Amino acid sequence: QVQLVESGGGLVQAGGSLRLSCAASGRTLSTYYMGWFRQAPGKEREFVAAISGSDSTYYADSVKGRFTISRDNAKNTVYLQMNSLKPEDTAVYYCAAKRTYGRRWYEYEYWGQGTQVTVSS
């Protein structure tokens, strides 16, 4: 059974930075696409970024140029570096895994429990 555990969320002022981590256990996910999603109160879960097993990266337009996804397969961990944070980035951030590329949250097989990111203005 695959388990994903996110960490690194918190409260930050607008313009600040946070780095989220997602540690996987139970299976090596080096060939999986790893994605980050977020969900704000009253809104649908939305795609943020994804990275392939060969390190190809994909971003939502709203975070392109500010967020960077990366992975360390030796540690079975995926990261999301978030810079120039805005109040509209406030949400619960989830990491997820699937065997092929996709931006639809319901296509992902494995999910973490989420970590709260709050950006104050």
Side-chain angles (χ1 to χ4, degrees):
Q1 183 71 12
V2 174
Q3 292 185 328
L4 303 177
V5 179
E6 302 98 333
S7 61
L11 173 64
V12 64
Q13 289 188 332
S17 298
L18 282 174
R19 188 195 196 202
L20 305 184
S21 299
C22 172
S25 62
R27 177 178 294 178
T28 299
L29 299 181
S30 59
T31 61
Y32 278 60
Y33 279 84
M34 301 298 296
W36 285 97
F37 291 79
R38 66 187 181 186
Q39 188 165 18
K43 295 189 176 181
E44 192 171 333
R45 190 167 299 191
E46 65 174 358
F47 172 81
V48 175
I51 185 167
S52 73
S54 58
D55 288 344
S56 295
T57 56
Y58 310 86
Y59 297 95
D61 288 344
S62 59
V63 306
K64 201 171 293 183
R66 299 188 298 123
F67 291 11
T68 303
I69 189 171
S70 62
R71 66 193 302 163
D72 183 338
N73 288 332
K75 296 182 178 179
N76 222 17
T77 299
V78 177
Y79 305 97
L80 186 68
Q81 177 67 44
M82 306 186 295
N83 298 329
S84 302
L85 282 162
K86 305 175 181 179
E88 51 263 43
D89 294 318
T90 295
V92 177
Y93 283 70
Y94 300 89
C95 75
K98 69 188 301 286
R99 289 178 175 85
T100 57
Y101 172 68
R103 294 188 175 218
R104 300 180 181 89
W105 64 267
Y106 48 84
E107 295 176 342
Y108 278 71
E109 301 171 55
Y110 305 110
W111 288 88
Q113 82 290 348
T115 185
Q116 176 70 46
V117 171
T118 303
V119 184
S120 63
S121 57

